[in-house]
């Protein structure tokens, strides 16, 4: 009897397996190039995700199979401009986001970033977008705050410490912390809450708050909750012993209390939210502010970190010299009038995009043809900046080389700029782009007009490889030590003062 039951169960299992295999094999995605295993299971992709190597894995697949690759039975990755345009720009803001973005809900609410469909997103964006317009970011009251924070960062260069090495990645909670992430947090909260922005560069409690947000190592925990909610619910306690849940109580306190205040300056996001308090309740406002604060820390901090690391390498030192020269020759120019500074930043965003991974979207009702492949509705489609920037070799020849000069050539400028996907593209691209550019250019001008940077001898190339987090990257070794050598007044090459301190 028992044997008979087992035979029935085995037969049923075999039948189900055959049905599953036949279904996979007759899927429209069978025509899309990709590894055979991806037609039948997403396990390989999930394994790579959990091990923080999804981006590199997909990039290798693009190198092998071309600009369209099936990465799972219901998921395809693209790299061409027509695909970017279709997925992210069609109808203004492209296809709806996939439920991957549910992972980022805050206080149980959807923010502009986590709204899935176009209509909800457009409604929220209409409220918020004007505070991120370039004209608002460039107002003197906004820029004064960025200058102040950049000066605070650079003042450390002239401190009297005997060490000349500085931790520019996240920094340690010591007096010698000069982290770029602290700068990014102070700038973002200035734009959100002035005069109630954070002072991570000056106050330990603010810096601790920033660390909580920036040191997000909850990748595995959150992926398990996304892929297997039941397993996650049943074993949450046990799981948390092995993989960390995301908890940011200090940031919650800061944002919840600051967003209650009513004295925010007129250029800030908070002042806009106050104007619209009939449309958003206090939790919505706090969730939106926390989201923007989080979005503005790792992204800007990591971009600056990879940029300063690259400029400090012997292979790129000539760009550092030319940048110092450009800054010396144009002391009064606005940050938008410095072509080499812009080129170096664009090339950094190309080579080290802070969000290098896929931005998943869903094929709309009725299915769509993308890059000549017809895909049924609800197929997950995406582009990842890392591959868009490296595989379009007609637009970016010698794509693995850091070469800011490519951005100075008039020829092909429009093609390069539209394929620069670091801030994404279309109506759901980064709303904080102008703010981020202003922050980064201001700090770079302040540093490289006065200092030369070199890598600390303890650093290795491997430790600066890009590692995936949930939606952003960071140096694999999670540290970046650079040495700062003050330049003699106006000097750019060879001549420099003895170091007077660390940054
Ligand atoms: C170098 C710096 C930055 C980079 C590379 C960057 C990149 C991106 C990317 C790729 C997206 C699209 C994400 C997706 O579709 O899943 C995005 C969205 C967003 N970013 Fe940024 N970002 C940066 C800085 C900032 C800053 C400083 C802020 C605000 C303080 C900010 C706020 C946002 C918000 C609110 C969204 C959601 C926009 C929407 O859905 O309409 N970002 N960013």
């Amino acid at each position: 009897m028992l044997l008979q039951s087992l035979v029935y169960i085995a037969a049923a299992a075999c039948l189900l397996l055959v049905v599953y295999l036949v279904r996979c094999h007759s899927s429209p995605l069978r025509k899309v190039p990709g590894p055979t295993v991806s037609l039948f299971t997403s396990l390989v992709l999930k394994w790579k995700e959990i091990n923080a190597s999804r981006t590199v894995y997909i990039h290798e697949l693009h190198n092998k199979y071309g600009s369209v690759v099936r990465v799972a039975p219901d998921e395809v990755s693209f790299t061409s401009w027509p695909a970017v345009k279709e997925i992210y720009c069609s109808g203004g803001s492209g296809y709806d986001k996939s439920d991957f973005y549910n992972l980022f809900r805050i206080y149980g609410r959807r923010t502009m970033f986590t709204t899935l469909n176009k209509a909800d997103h457009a409604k929220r964006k209409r409220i918020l977008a004007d505070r991120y317009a370039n004209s608002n970011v460039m107002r003197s009251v906004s820029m004064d705050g960025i200058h102040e924070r950049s000066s605070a960062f650079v003042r450390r260069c002239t401190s009297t410490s005997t060490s000349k090495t500085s931790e520019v990645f996240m920094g340690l909670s010591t007096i010698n912390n000069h982290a770029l992430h602290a700068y990014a947090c102070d700038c973002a909260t200035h734009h959100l809450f002035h005069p109630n922005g954070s002072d991570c560069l000056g106050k330990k409690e603010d810096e601790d708050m920033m660390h909580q947000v920036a040191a997000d190592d909850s990748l595995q925990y959150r992926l398990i909750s996304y892929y297997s909610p039941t397993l996650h619910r049943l074993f949450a306690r046990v799981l948390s012993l092995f993989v960390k849940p995301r908890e940011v109580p200090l940031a919650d306190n800061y944002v919840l209390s600051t967003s209650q205040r009513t004295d925010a300056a007129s250029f800030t996001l908070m002042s806009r939210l106050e104007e619209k308090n009939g449309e958003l309740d206090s939790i919505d406002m706090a969730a939106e502010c926390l989201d923007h604060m989080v979005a503005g820390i790792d992204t800007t901090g990591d971009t600056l970190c990879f940029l300063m690391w690259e400029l400090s390498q012997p292979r790129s030192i000539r760009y550092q010299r030319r940048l110092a020269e450009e800054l010396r020759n144009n002391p009064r120019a606005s940050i938008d009038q410095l072509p080499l500074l812009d080129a170096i930043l664009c090339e950094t965003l190309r080579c080290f995009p802070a969000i290098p991974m896929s931005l998943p979207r869903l094929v709309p009702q009725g299915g769509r043809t993308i890059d000549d492949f017809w895909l049924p509705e609800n197929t997950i489609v995406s582009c990842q900046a890392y591959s868009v920037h490296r595989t379009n070799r007609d637009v970016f020849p010698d794509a693995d080389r850091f070469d800011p000069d490519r951005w100075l050539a008039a020829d092909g400028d429009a093609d390069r700029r539209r394929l620069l996907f670091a801030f994404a593209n279309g109506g759901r691209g980064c709303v904080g782009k102008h703010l981020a550019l202003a922050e980064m250019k201001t700090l770079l001008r302040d540093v490289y007009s006065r200092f030369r940077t070199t890598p600390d001898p303890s650093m290795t190339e491997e430790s600066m490889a890009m590692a995936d987090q949930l939606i952003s990257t960071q140096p694999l070794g999670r540290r970046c030590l650079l040495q700062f050598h003050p330049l003699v007044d106006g000097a750019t090459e060879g001549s420099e003062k003895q170091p007077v301190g660390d940054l």
Side-chain angles (χ1 to χ4, degrees), residues 88 97 100-101 112-115 121 125 132 184 188 191-192 288 291-293 295-297 299-301 303 349 353-355 358-361 421-425 427-433 435-437 439-440 471:
Y88 298 96
K97 286 186 167 179
F100 168 73
Y101 289 86
M112 176 162 71
F113 176 60
T114 51
T115 51
H121 175 259
K125 191 165 179 178
Y132 287 105
H191 202 77
L192 293 173
E288 202 62 69
D291 211 16
H292 294 218
M293 183 174 108
I297 299 178
T299 48
T300 313
T303 305
L349 289 162
I355 303 184
S358 317
L359 308 176
R361 304 292 191 260
F421 194 59
F423 291 108
N425 219 319
R428 301 213 67 166
C430 180
V431 77
K433 176 178 170 177
L435 176 63
L437 290 174
E439 290 172 23
M440 294 190 287
I471 198 164

Side-chain angles (χ1 to χ4, degrees), residues 106-142:
I106 296 183
Y107 312 135
R109 301 293 173 91
R110 286 201 189 275
T111 59
M112 176 162 71
F113 176 60
T114 51
T115 51
L116 301 185
N117 69 64
K118 268 184 197 187
D120 291 344
H121 175 259
K123 212 164 131 197
R124 187 59 65 91
K125 191 165 179 178
R126 262 197 300 280
I127 298 177
L128 308 175
D130 89 316
R131 291 305 195 267
Y132 287 105
N134 201 33
S135 51
N136 189 49
V137 170
M138 296 305 280
R139 280 170 66 183
S140 57
V141 53
S142 153

Side-chain angles (χ1 to χ4, degrees), residues 136-151:
N136 189 49
V137 170
M138 296 305 280
R139 280 170 66 183
S140 57
V141 53
S142 153
M143 285 305 292
D144 286 352
I146 296 179
H147 282 299
E148 229 173 77
R149 283 150 182 84
S150 174
S151 301

Side-chain angles (χ1 to χ4, degrees), residues 265-282:
S266 66
F267 72 90
T268 61
L269 183 74
M270 200 54 230
S271 76
R272 180 68 177 161
L273 293 173
E274 276 166 28
E275 282 166 25
K276 295 285 171 183
N277 68 5
E279 292 176 49
L280 302 173
D281 69 17
S282 60

Side-chain angles (χ1 to χ4, degrees), residues 322-349:
R322 282 171 51 195
L323 176 60
E325 215 167 277
E326 180 177 83
L327 299 173
R328 188 188 51 173
N329 292 339
N330 300 282
R332 294 194 200 297
S334 117
I335 46 172
D336 287 338
Q337 295 166 339
L338 297 163
L340 184 62
L341 178 62
D342 184 65
I344 288 174
L345 199 44
C346 287
E347 186 64 348
T348 303
L349 289 162

